Amino acid sequence: MTEVNLRKSPAKFSIPKISSNVWKVWRRNADVFTKTIGVNFLPSMLEPIIYLFAFGFGLGGFIPEVNGLPYINFIAPALVAISVMNGAFFECTYGSFVRMYYQKTFDALVATPISIDEVVAGEILWGATRGAINSTIVLTVIGISGLLTANPIITTPLFILMPIIAFFSGLMLSSIAMCFTAISPNIDFFNYPIFLFITPMLFLSGTFFPMNTLPNPAQGLALTTLPLAQIVNLTRGALTGATETLLGLTTKTLIPISIIWITIITIIFFILSINLMKKRLIR
Amino acid sequence: MFVEWVIFSNESRDVLIKAVKLTKKYDDFVAVDGIDFEIYSGECVGFLGPNGAGKTTTVRMMYCFLPPTSGDLIIAGLSVHDRCREIKQVVGVAPQEDNLDLDFSVVKNLVVYARYFDISKEEALKRANEQLDFFQLQEKRDMPIEALSTGMKRRLIFARALLHKPKVLLLDEPTTGLDPQARHLVWDAVRQLKKLHVTIILTTHYMDEAEILCDRIIIVDHGKIIEDGPPKELIKKHIGENVLELDYDSTLLPMLKQTFSDARIEVIGERMQVFTSKPYSVFDGFLHEHKIQNVTLRKANLEDVFLKLTGRALRTND
């Protein structure tokens, strides 16, 4: 028999301990996704088609050029970035909350050799995967639309990096989303992050109008605080070969800045979300 | 269902679970108050107690769902403080609340759960089928969870807890909401598992169930262990052999006290209960003499012990 120790429970804040068990959690969600694939694919496909049609062809008819690009070519990379954001954020807010709170899936998982750290990490990885899947669908729609209109929106072979960009961008958004899930008292709470965080970001990140039309302080603020602005930089770089020029910084500087920004924020929120979730679930 | 089950050794009476000053506090509420107990390998132990007594909290600490506030709990030589992953590998849990996976069908629930234990897909399917056969859920195998009745869900939760052939099985109110048929099915499963020397911890509000299934009973109240022993011994110690129940009658009460001088007599509402080990002839004589109607003479049971030790006052829900 092991030595009896009477010490108290471990410290409150810790670096997550994670094994390959996270993939079991990921697999569970992937299994559910493939089972309901029809329901999942259609909205992800329709949304970019509507955006492309309404903004690209509709509104775009009134706008000659943005930063030297046809309007539809300007917004297309942003649509990819938005699909990553929505896929990851909604999966790890509403999706995770339903599994945690209503379906008690987390409770069932932690009775097996899977730890709570791994459950949360698996959820976040799955959120990132949803981001990557969504971006691939949107990219395909854009590619086809480009072929049909004889205006190839995707002009560099770098677009093949898109799933990787989407996965890591998704990892950031999922981690942020999971923090909200950990502190939400009920499912209606998500109205706050959606209306105060997601919706403003949707319009202010160089998505539907160029960010460099904003006054310099606003550009600086957007570039330092908005996750979507970083993702847009990366998708615009990967699809059209260049980002906007912001505060005198060009593609060469902005891409590394965005990569470093995403990496740091992802690490912080990933660790924070697991700790917040443990605080919520382990009583 | 128990084909190829590992039969755990029962040769030495090893202590498999040991709690030392085990405590769980929530702010100012003490759910489990420094309890000590030992459970031997192959034993079936029932944790009984009113709502909020600390039974479920204790069980939840056994599978690392809740960390103890202080004290220690050792399962198969491993402390819940730092060896949770290994503990959960050998412990099977049928929790009180229904946490079946609503996104999957009945059989997929079992197969996916088996995957969490690194059981291969073929093996998982084989075991899932054995369990579905035993728990009579085979015809529901492709149904969604929503289509199951409460009793079917409880059976599926039990089946799920057995997939990885655990050494220790935690059953938190396994028969709540079951009809008598399903209840007997669960009891049969428990008996078969006992034969295989699986160590079983059971919580229940049904005293007959605890009396029938458990080798030993631990009664908890207000977070403390108030009694611990085999059901028969507890009955003998606290109640005696028989219980005579009859309508309350103020004139009869002194005569009862006279005839059964050594017995405990309780007045509960409109009934009186006499707890005694006196031979049947004494009852016969008394009942005849006073021409008493509406009387029940029965064997003392665990419920009598439980009510004596924990009182008759209602508890708030936990």
Side-chain angles (χ1 to χ4, degrees):
Chain A
M1 190 115 288
T2 0
E3 206 178 306
V4 170
N5 79 64
L6 300 176
R7 74 184 147 74
K8 291 192 155 207
S9 327
K12 291 280 178 270
F13 194 89
S14 60
I15 300 297
K17 289 181 202 66
I18 286 165
S19 76
S20 61
N21 275 345
V22 288
W23 295 111
K24 294 177 189 161
V25 181
W26 185 92
R27 259 298 283 286
R28 183 219 162 264
N29 290 338
D31 281 4
V32 179
F33 178 80
T34 38
K35 201 186 80 176
T36 52
I37 198 141
V39 199
N40 290 318
F41 253 81
L42 211 62
S44 329
M45 225 159 76
L46 275 176
E47 202 182 71
I49 294 176
I50 292 168
Y51 271 111
L52 275 180
F53 191 77
F55 288 94
F57 300 109
L59 188 63
F62 298 94
I63 301 164
E65 270 189 351
V66 177
N67 293 345
L69 289 171
Y71 186 62
I72 192 165
N73 297 30
F74 176 76
I75 63 160
L79 294 182
V80 178
I82 290 167
S83 74
V84 174
M85 175 177 80
N86 286 348
F89 195 82
F90 282 84
E91 186 63 38
C92 285
T93 47
Y94 289 102
S96 295
F97 193 83
V98 165
R99 287 189 282 275
M100 169 186 77
Y101 189 85
Y102 294 104
Q103 302 194 0
K104 310 272 175 220
T105 311
F106 291 11
D107 290 358
L109 281 162
V110 297
T112 74
I114 303 171
S115 71
I116 188 66
D117 293 22
E118 290 158 350
V119 171
V120 180
E123 287 279 314
I124 291 173
L125 283 177
W126 172 246
T129 310
R130 277 305 301 268
I133 294 170
N134 275 13
S135 78
T136 310
I137 298 169
V138 177
L139 199 63
T140 313
V141 170
I142 289 169
I144 293 169
S145 144
L147 288 176
L148 292 176
T149 56
N151 164 23
I153 298 165
I154 303 162
T155 51
T156 83
L158 288 173
F159 81 89
I160 54 160
L161 294 175
M162 206 44 244
I164 299 165
I165 296 171
F167 183 83
F168 285 101
S169 306
L171 210 54
M172 167 173 66
L173 262 316
S174 302
S175 302
I176 296 171
M178 195 54 86
C179 291
F180 286 116
T181 303
I183 59 167
S184 67
N186 54 58
I187 201 159
D188 297 322
F189 172 85
F190 293 130
N191 283 335
Y192 289 108
I194 284 163
F195 288 114
L196 299 175
F197 175 61
I198 296 293
T199 308
M201 208 157 50
L202 186 67
F203 293 103
L204 298 175
S205 306
T207 42
F208 297 104
F209 65 89
M211 214 154 90
N212 58 22
T213 54
L214 295 171
N216 275 357
Q219 275 186 52
L221 193 66
L223 202 58
T224 44
T225 58
L226 300 182
L228 185 61
Q230 321 299 331
I231 308 175
V232 170
N233 279 343
L234 297 184
T235 57
R236 194 161 277 145
L239 266 54
T240 66
T243 65
E244 288 188 65
T245 301
L246 301 168
L247 303 168
L249 304 171
T250 58
T251 314
K252 270 190 181 150
T253 336
L254 284 175
I255 294 289
I257 288 178
S258 291
I259 290 174
I260 293 165
W261 199 96
I262 289 173
T263 310
I264 293 171
I265 294 296
T266 305
I267 293 169
I268 292 173
F269 280 90
F270 182 79
I271 296 172
L272 182 66
S273 70
I274 290 178
N275 278 285
L276 287 174
M277 210 48 141
K278 276 164 84 169
K279 208 179 148 199
R280 177 187 185 123
L281 295 175
I282 303 175
R283 279 145 296 147
Chain B
M1 75 162 169
F2 305 120
V3 223
E4 292 170 31
W5 193 285
V6 194
I7 298 178
F8 301 109
S9 154
N10 197 31
E11 302 216 331
S12 57
R13 293 225 337 143
D14 296 332
V15 175
L16 194 64
I17 302 174
K18 184 185 171 80
V20 183
K21 295 193 174 67
L22 185 64
T23 306
K24 184 67 189 175
K25 281 185 196 156
Y26 296 102
D27 298 324
D28 51 354
F29 173 68
V30 186
V32 174
D33 194 0
I35 61 173
D36 297 87
F37 61 84
E38 285 184 348
I39 290 168
Y40 296 97
S41 187
E43 236 188 340
C44 176
V45 177
F47 274 78
L48 307 182
N51 282 335
K55 313 180 290 291
T56 297
T57 306
T58 307
V59 169
R60 284 182 172 169
M61 286 193 276
M62 288 184 196
Y63 68 99
C64 298
F65 190 79
L66 296 174
T69 310
S70 63
D72 205 354
L73 181 58
I74 291 159
I75 320 269
L78 307 161
S79 166
V80 296
H81 286 295
D82 46 19
R83 308 291 291 277
C84 279
R85 201 186 296 276
E86 292 115 303
I87 288 173
K88 291 191 288 181
Q89 196 76 51
V90 296
V91 173
V93 190
Q96 200 180 104
E97 72 281 5
D98 162 24
N99 61 18
L100 291 164
D101 203 323
L102 294 173
D103 288 320
F104 296 123
S105 67
V106 169
V107 65
K108 185 89 189 189
N109 253 277
L110 299 180
V111 172
V112 170
Y113 200 79
R115 192 161 73 204
Y116 301 148
F117 289 90
D118 287 314
I119 297 166
S120 73
K121 198 174 177 189
E122 308 80 74
E123 181 64 21
L125 256 174
K126 202 182 108 201
R127 291 188 192 182
N129 274 322
E130 286 166 17
Q131 300 298 342
L132 291 177
D133 284 336
F134 182 86
F135 286 98
Q136 297 174 25
L137 290 164
Q138 197 60 266
E139 58 189 74
K140 301 278 176 193
R141 61 178 285 136
D142 296 316
M143 295 278 204
I145 298 303
E146 289 97 333
L148 301 185
S149 68
T150 313
M152 290 172 186
K153 284 182 191 165
R154 299 265 2 126
R155 271 139 64 195
L156 187 58
I157 288 170
F158 196 154
R160 191 182 65 174
L162 300 176
L163 286 168
H164 60 295
K165 304 187 191 275
K167 201 172 179 171
V168 178
L169 183 63
L170 307 176
L171 302 171
D172 198 359
E173 297 192 17
T175 56
T176 302
L178 294 192
D179 61 20
Q181 287 82 356
R183 217 148 89 93
H184 282 273
L185 187 65
V186 167
W187 291 355
D188 190 31
V190 172
R191 288 195 189 99
Q192 291 200 33
L193 290 161
K194 281 175 72 174
K195 274 192 194 150
L196 299 162
H197 307 305
V198 175
T199 307
I200 300 169
I201 316 293
L202 178 113
T203 80
T204 182
H205 284 304
Y206 303 115
M207 298 300 141
D208 55 335
E209 177 169 300
E211 200 175 326
I212 293 168
L213 297 177
C214 298
D215 305 316
R216 187 152 65 96
I217 301 292
I218 293 178
I219 299 178
V220 285
D221 199 9
H222 304 295
K224 285 194 154 75
I225 293 175
I226 54 172
E227 189 50 283
D228 178 350
K232 285 207 169 60
E233 280 180 23
L234 294 187
I235 296 166
K236 208 168 167 187
K237 175 178 165 193
H238 291 281
I239 305 296
E241 296 281 329
N242 301 305
V243 182
L244 181 72
E245 285 187 18
L246 59 174
D247 283 341
Y248 178 73
D249 183 336
S250 54
T251 53
L252 213 54
L253 194 56
M255 285 180 264
L256 270 174
K257 281 183 179 156
Q258 202 177 10
T259 316
F260 303 97
S261 52
D262 63 328
R264 189 164 64 90
I265 299 173
E266 251 188 50
V267 180
I268 304 132
E270 289 301 304
R271 297 282 275 179
M272 298 187 287
Q273 289 189 336
V274 185
F275 302 95
T276 175
S277 299
K278 280 223 163 32
Y280 279 108
S281 55
V282 183
F283 294 107
D284 271 347
F286 185 81
L287 296 176
H288 232 83
E289 187 187 332
H290 298 282
K291 296 190 172 54
I292 299 163
Q293 306 264 303
N294 196 11
V295 65
T296 314
L297 176 60
R298 59 170 175 81
K299 281 259 169 231
N301 60 36
L302 202 55
E303 189 146 335
D304 299 318
V305 179
F306 185 83
L307 289 171
K308 183 186 171 194
L309 295 179
T310 61
R312 287 182 177 268
L314 293 180
R315 307 300 173 94
T316 49
N317 281 327
D318 53 354

